[in-house]
């Protein structure tokens, strides 16, 4: 396998034809890609029966995709074909909806067609183990925030062989050593933490060990992977726990800069002290008003991440 093959697949993955409406996010195809890459690596299986995909993919969609009333695994199973990364042999037998290009859901369940990577891509994945790692990394950094990467990898049962760091920028020739070395620029983090006086904007956590700050992070409100800029008004300083809870939609920040907790959060312990007590409370804000969270970014989080609407 040569660098041109890697670059071709990288571009295919980065440019998935996902459903778009302004900055609304749709991660159904990326999650199917991750699931299929895991199956390829762990079982050597190319074609996966639809019923298995439906059973395994639905919980991934419910946990990591944008909140919806209902998630339908058959949609990415069918539409990933248009990206040249997926095939469904024998799909011609499936009855179509009226005036629609996709078959009925009942047809998928009745005939149980199999889907998977085209043979040439599958062979490249089998013969070059680093390629699957690279594509998994590419999907994660393109479509999901860093706080979810470990949880997604655990959910799909995959362990990467090399360090999970950002992929090289578009157009740059790929080598495995470069993949290992790439790091995110730290300016955004430093500026946001400085704006919030190095404290969590919710709970005020600011523990230091030997003078070094531990567990305080700069979170993008509108995710960097969805055109969220590296500007203070799109950032908030939060402790590691509140960062994860923010990115999972357990709470959001309203335009008046008060906290709204999702009613879908459940716990036997911890919910009161880490979430509920902040309900309707204002977050700490930077001294410079231009660095306060901006309403367009807060609206994006409300529409795409928060689990309180559906």
């Amino acid at each position: 396998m040569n660098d041109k093959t890697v670059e071709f697949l990288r571009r295919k993955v980065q440019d998935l034809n996902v459903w778009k409406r302004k900055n609304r996010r749709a991660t159904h195809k990326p999650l199917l890609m991750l699931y299929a890459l895991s199956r390829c690596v762990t079982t050597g299986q190319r074609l996966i029966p639809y019923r298995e995909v439906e059973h395994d993919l639905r919980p991934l969609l419910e946990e990591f995709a944008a909140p919806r009333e209902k998630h339908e695994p058959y949609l990415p199973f069918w539409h990933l074909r248009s990206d040249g990364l997926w095939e469904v042999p024998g799909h011609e037998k499936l009855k179509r909806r009226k005036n629609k290009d996709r078959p009925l859901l009942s047809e998928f369940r009745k005939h149980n067609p199999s889907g998977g990577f085209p043979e040439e891509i599958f062979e490249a994945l089998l013969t070059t183990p680093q390629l699957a790692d690279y594509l998994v990394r590419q999907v994660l950094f393109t479509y999901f925030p860093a706080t979810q990467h470990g949880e997604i990898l655990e959910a799909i049962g995959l362990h990467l062989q090399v360090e999970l760091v950002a992929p090289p920028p578009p157009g740059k020739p790929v080598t495995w050593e470069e993949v290992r070395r790439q790091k995110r620029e730290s300016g955004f983090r430093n500026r946001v933490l400085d704006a919030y006086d190095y404290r969590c904007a919710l709970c005020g956590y600011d523990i230091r060990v030997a003078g070094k700050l531990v567990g305080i992070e700069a979170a993008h409100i509108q995710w960097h992977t969805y055109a969220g800029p590296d500007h203070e008004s799109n950032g908030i300083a939060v402790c590691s726990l509140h960062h994860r809870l923010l990115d999972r939609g357990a709470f959001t920040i309203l335009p008046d800069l008060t906290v709204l907790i999702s009613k879908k959060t459940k716990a036997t312990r911890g919910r009161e002290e880490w979430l509920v007590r902040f309900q309707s409370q204002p977050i700490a804000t930077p001294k410079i008003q231009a660095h306060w969270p901006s309403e367009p970014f807060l609206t994006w989080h409300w529409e795409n991440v928060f689990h309180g609407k559906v």
Side-chain angles (χ1 to χ4, degrees), residues 1-281:
M1 183 191 62
N2 55 41
D3 284 353
K4 289 185 178 180
T5 303
V6 178
E7 178 64 11
F8 169 77
L9 290 174
R10 185 198 67 76
R11 288 185 178 276
K12 283 285 188 180
V13 168
Q14 180 144 348
D15 298 331
L16 285 178
N17 184 25
V18 298
W19 177 86
K20 296 177 182 178
R21 181 177 296 167
K22 295 184 179 180
N23 282 324
R24 296 294 297 276
R25 67 186 183 99
T27 51
H28 293 64
K29 284 184 179 181
L31 284 167
L32 175 57
M33 280 286 300
L34 291 171
Y35 168 72
L37 284 166
S38 176
R39 289 290 291 261
C40 174
V41 169
T42 58
T43 69
Q45 185 176 8
R46 182 174 83 87
L47 296 176
I48 313 168
Y50 173 73
R51 290 178 196 145
E52 290 184 32
V53 173
E54 183 176 48
H55 177 271
D56 296 339
L57 186 61
R58 189 181 299 279
L60 295 175
L61 296 174
E62 291 173 349
E63 188 169 4
F64 299 110
R68 290 188 182 181
E69 291 186 8
K70 191 176 182 181
H71 292 283
E72 295 292 0
Y74 82 98
L75 294 176
F77 186 90
W78 177 252
H79 289 301
L80 188 58
R81 295 165 53 253
S82 65
D83 297 278
L85 295 169
W86 191 257
E87 63 180 19
V88 181
H91 65 80
E92 300 85 359
K93 302 176 183 177
L94 305 178
K95 294 180 181 178
R96 304 293 199 273
R97 294 169 174 267
K98 290 183 179 179
N99 302 320
K100 296 287 185 180
D101 70 333
R102 66 173 183 265
L104 297 162
L105 172 58
S106 58
E107 289 291 292
F108 285 96
R109 290 175 172 168
K110 176 182 177 181
H111 296 285
N112 195 31
S114 293
F117 298 118
E119 289 188 6
E120 57 206 300
I121 295 176
F122 179 73
E123 289 300 320
L125 290 168
L126 288 186
T127 56
T128 310
Q130 305 102 313
L131 178 59
D133 276 13
Y134 177 75
L135 293 179
V136 167
R137 182 180 296 103
Q138 185 71 42
V139 174
L140 289 174
F141 275 97
T142 303
Y143 299 100
F144 300 95
T147 54
Q148 292 185 357
H149 294 177
E151 294 174 342
I152 292 173
L153 288 171
E154 183 176 357
I156 63 175
L158 195 60
H159 174 71
L160 295 185
Q161 298 180 29
V162 294
E163 184 183 357
L164 182 61
V165 294
K172 188 177 186 295
V174 176
T175 71
W176 304 123
E177 288 303 317
E178 287 172 337
V179 169
R180 291 187 181 94
R181 290 198 303 265
Q182 289 293 320
K183 300 291 184 182
R184 275 291 296 277
E185 183 270 325
S186 62
F188 171 75
R189 176 181 183 275
N190 294 335
R191 294 195 308 272
V192 170
L193 295 189
D194 183 66
Y196 284 85
D197 201 22
Y198 299 89
R199 293 185 174 91
C200 176
L202 268 75
C203 66
Y205 171 99
D206 65 349
I207 290 178
R208 293 174 183 266
V209 177
K212 300 295 184 180
L213 197 65
V214 178
I216 292 290
E217 301 170 356
H220 283 85
I221 300 169
Q222 178 172 323
W223 295 349
H224 191 267
T225 51
Y226 287 86
D230 285 336
H231 188 271
E232 290 88 333
S233 63
N234 185 40
I236 180 172
V238 280
C239 63
S240 300
L241 178 58
H242 282 128
H243 193 172
R244 287 178 177 271
L245 291 171
L246 178 69
D247 283 350
R248 291 298 290 271
F251 72 92
T252 194
I253 301 167
L254 299 176
D256 65 0
L257 302 185
T258 60
V259 176
L260 178 63
I261 307 300
S262 170
K263 294 180 180 178
K264 294 190 175 183
T265 58
K266 306 292 181 183
T268 55
R269 294 184 63 182
R271 185 172 181 269
E272 179 65 36
E273 54 265 45
W274 290 105
L275 281 174
V276 174
R277 73 185 180 97
F278 301 109
Q279 175 70 26
S280 302
Q281 296 299 307

